[in-house]
Amino acid sequence: MASVQYREIEGRSRGFFVILMTLGIFITAGLAAAWAMEHEGHVITGMTNRIVWGTPHVFAVFLIVAASGALNVASVASVFGRELYKPLARLSGLLALALLAGGLAVLVLDLGRPDRLIVAMTHYNFKSIFAWNIFLYTGFFAVVALYLWTMLERRMNGYTVRAGVLAFLWRLVLTTGTGSIFGFLVAREPYNSALLAPLFIVMSFAFGTAAFVLVLMAACRWSGRALGDALLARLGNLLGIFVAAVLYFVAVHHLTNLYIARQLELERFLLLDGGIYTWLFWIGQVLVGGLVPLVLVFAARGRGALAAAAACVIAGGLAQLYVIIIGGQAYPQSIFPGKDLSSSFFDGVVASYAPSLPEVALGVGGVGLAAALTVLGLKVLPFLPRSLADDEPAKA
Amino acid sequence: MNPERRQLLGWSVAAAAGAALAPGLRLVELALARSPEEAASALQRWGLLIDVAKCADCDECVTACRDENGWTGLGRPATDAQWIRKVSLRDRATGHVQTLPLMCQHCEHPPCVDVCPTGASFRRADGIVLVDKHTCIGCRYCVMACPFGARSFIHEPVSGQKPDVPRGKGTVESCTLCVHRVDRGERPACVEACNRDGRKAMLFGDLNDSSSEIHRRVRTEPSTALRPDLALNPGVRYQHL
C-alpha cells in the first residue's frame, strides 16, 4: 500500500472555520460548566448522594469506550492484515486519541477536586481499578502515538504490524478495565458481573466504528475526497456485526438475571417498570441502537443508510450507558435483603435524577474537544488519503 | 477537739487530698488515652454493637452525631450529607417492623478503600475507616462501592466546621466513629447520646479486648453483620435483627 498518498486537509475554507468555531463554542460551554461546578459545588448539577455519577459520566464513558473502538479499523488492517482498511488506519488512530482526550477531559473536570489531579498522578492505590485505568489511559496515548509514528514515518513502516498488535492488545485491556469499573462493584446488583468487561469491549467495537464511519464520511465529503461504496459497504457490515454482538451480550446478561430469583426485582425495574430507564432500554438501546441499525446496514444499505445507522448506534450507545450508569445507581441497594427500607437518605426507593444544564454542557464540551482535535489533526498531519475511491487502492 | 471541729478537719483533709489527687487522676486518664503522636494499633479493633430490640423511634444518635461533627443540613435532602441515619425496616414475608441506626460499618475489608484510586479512603490499624481530606479528589467511586450507602459527597461550600472534624466541598465523607473522641479515650457521640437520652441500644468498645463488655457480649450473645454474604467483617454488629 506504499502507493497510497496521504494529504493534510487544506483547512482554509469558510466551512473549516465555521466547524472549528462551533466546536470552540461547545468546548467553552464545557469549560464554563466545569468552572461553575468547581465554584458552586455539584449542588448545581442533577447529581445527588444517591446518583453520584451522572450525565458527565455517560459522555465520558461513551467517549473512552468509543476511543478504544475507533482503533478497530487500524487493528483490522495491521493485526488482521486486511489491505482494504490500511489507508484508513491513520485516521483510526487519530480518532482514538481524540476521543480518549475528550472523554478524560470530561471525567477529570467533573471531579469534586479537579485541582488535585496531580494527587491522582502521585498517589496510587494499586488495588483500585481506577488507579489501573490511569495507567491504561496514559499508556493508550503512548501506544497509539507510537503506532501512528510507525505509520506516518516511512523509516518506521516496518514496525507497524508490531505496534498495531501492541495497540490492539492494549485497547482490549483498557476496555476490560473500563467495564470492570462497574463489574467489580460487588454491592450493587445491576453491576457485579464479569460479563460487563466483554460487554464493554463489544460496545467499544460498535460505538467506535460508528464514530469512525461518521468522521470518515464527513471528512471526505467536506474535503472533496472520493470515498468508495465498496469500502463503505464493508464498514457497514463490520458495524452490523458489532451491533449484533452487543445485542447478544445484553440478552445473555438479562437472561441470566431473569433466571436468578434474587435478581428478578432488578430485571422488573430495568425491563418493565423502571420509567425512563425502561424506555431508554427498549426504545433507545434496543430499538434505536440495535434493531434499526441492523436493518439499515443489512437491509436498506447505501450511503445515507450507513450514516443513519452510525448515528443510531451512537444515540443508542448513549442511552445504553445512561441505563447502565444512572439506572444502575437509581435502583435501590439491597442493604437488608428481604426487607423494605425507608429513611431520610432515600434508602429503599428508586433515586430520582434529572440531567442539568452544566452536566450536559460538560459532556458536549468533551465531544466538542474530541471533534476539534480530530479536525486539527487532519489539518496538521497527513492522516487522510487523497482518495478512497474503490478502484484507487488495491482491494483486499 | 470537739466533734464539729473534728468533722470540719476531716472534710478539709479530704478536700485537700481530692484537690491534690484530681490532677493526678486526670493525668492517669490522659496517660491511658492515646497521645496524638502514638500511631493507632492493630492490637485494638474498635467496634459498635447495636441492639435493634432496644432501638426506639428516637433519633438521639443522629442529632448527637450532627452536633458533634457539624454536618448540619442545608434543607436539601438529596445533596445534604448524612453520616448516620435511622432506617425503618419491614420484613416482606412477615410484615415485622424494626428501626435502627445505619452508618459506616468500618469493615475489615472495606470496598471503599479497595476502589479509591489515591488511597484517600483508608482503614486505620485499629479498624476505623476514614477519608484523608487532603488526598480525596472527589471521584465518588467509594460512594459507588459502599454496600451500605454510608458515604456522602459534599455538594456545596461548608462553613462553621468543627476544629476536630475537617470537611471540604468536593470531597467524600462518612462516619469517623468519632475518631477524635476515641483518640481522647471517649466514646462516639452517638453511643454517648443513646446511653444518656435513648434506650441504651448502642455499645462501643474494643472488640479485641477480652475484658471489654463488647467483646464479652459478641462472644456470648448472638449478633450479626450487615450483608454477611459479602464477607467484609464489619466492626459494627447488630443484635435482634
Side-chain angles (χ1 to χ4, degrees), chain A residues 251-264:
Chain A
V252 170
H253 194 191
H254 284 290
L255 276 174
T256 310
N257 278 343
L258 283 167
Y259 208 83
I260 300 169
R262 70 182 155 83
Q263 297 282 55
L264 275 180

Side-chain angles (χ1 to χ4, degrees), chain A residues 214-237:
Chain A
L214 286 181
V215 168
L216 177 69
M217 289 175 90
C220 287
R221 189 189 182 112
W222 292 334
S223 63
R225 300 184 193 201
L227 180 58
D229 285 326
L231 183 65
L232 281 179
R234 291 283 285 270
L235 282 172
N237 286 344

Side-chain angles (χ1 to χ4, degrees), chain B residues 194-211:
Chain B
C194 185
N195 284 278
R196 187 181 60 234
D197 305 315
R199 292 179 53 189
K200 301 179 175 48
M202 300 175 86
L203 175 65
F204 169 79
D206 179 2
L207 291 160
N208 286 351
D209 176 4
S210 56
S211 66

Side-chain angles (χ1 to χ4, degrees), chain A residues 174-209:
Chain A
L174 181 139
T175 316
T176 301
T178 312
S180 299
I181 288 175
F182 300 95
F184 285 6
L185 289 175
V186 64
R188 289 184 186 266
E189 283 77 33
Y191 308 130
N192 182 19
S193 164
L195 198 62
L196 288 179
L199 171 65
F200 270 58
I201 288 179
V202 291
M203 281 158 64
S204 85
F205 289 172
F207 306 166
T209 305

Side-chain angles (χ1 to χ4, degrees), chain A residues 37-45 47-50 52-54 57 110-114 116-117 119-120 123-125 127-131 134 180-182 184-189 191 265 325 329 333-347, chain B residues 76-82 85-93 96 98 100 102 111 113-119 132-141 143-157 169-171 226-227 229-230 232 238 241:
Chain A
M37 283 160 66
E38 205 275 330
H39 196 71
E40 305 283 334
H42 279 59
V43 70
I44 62 166
T45 71
M47 289 180 271
T48 64
N49 278 321
R50 284 291 166 254
V52 292
W53 288 353
H57 302 80
D110 170 79
L111 290 176
R113 295 295 304 261
R116 288 185 180 166
L117 187 60
V119 174
H123 291 66
Y124 288 107
N125 164 27
K127 200 179 175 187
S128 167
I129 180 84
F130 246 22
I134 293 173
S180 299
I181 288 175
F182 300 95
F184 285 6
L185 289 175
V186 64
R188 289 184 186 266
E189 283 77 33
Y191 308 130
E265 268 183 68
I325 296 175
Q329 295 171 82
Q333 275 185 292
S334 171
I335 306 173
F336 300 89
K339 295 181 197 275
D340 287 327
L341 266 65
S342 64
S343 78
S344 58
F345 212 40
F346 306 96
D347 288 296
Chain B
R76 288 183 275 277
T79 50
D80 283 345
Q82 292 204 28
R85 60 197 193 268
K86 282 300 292 289
V87 177
S88 299
L89 306 179
R90 187 179 168 282
D91 193 293
R92 269 181 224 144
H96 183 235
Q98 290 181 303
L100 51 80
L102 184 60
V113 172
D114 289 346
V115 302
C116 177
T118 64
D132 181 341
K133 310 302 283 185
H134 299 285
T135 49
C136 174
I137 58 172
C139 72
R140 287 102 80 198
Y141 198 15
V143 188
M144 293 288 281
C146 175
F148 310 107
R151 291 208 152 176
S152 301
F153 179 65
I154 308 183
H155 283 78
E156 46 197 315
K169 178 188 69 180
T171 60
L226 300 187
R227 291 299 303 268
D229 56 316
L230 299 178
L232 303 172
Y238 290 82
L241 187 60

Side-chain angles (χ1 to χ4, degrees), chain A residues 351-392:
Chain A
S352 59
Y353 170 80
S356 62
L357 182 63
E359 289 171 88
V360 175
L362 180 56
V364 171
V367 177
L369 178 63
L373 288 174
T374 309
V375 171
L376 289 172
L378 287 172
K379 180 174 160 63
V380 297
L381 283 172
F383 285 107
L384 201 61
R386 292 176 78 169
S387 169
L388 284 161
D390 287 336
D391 51 349
E392 296 241 346

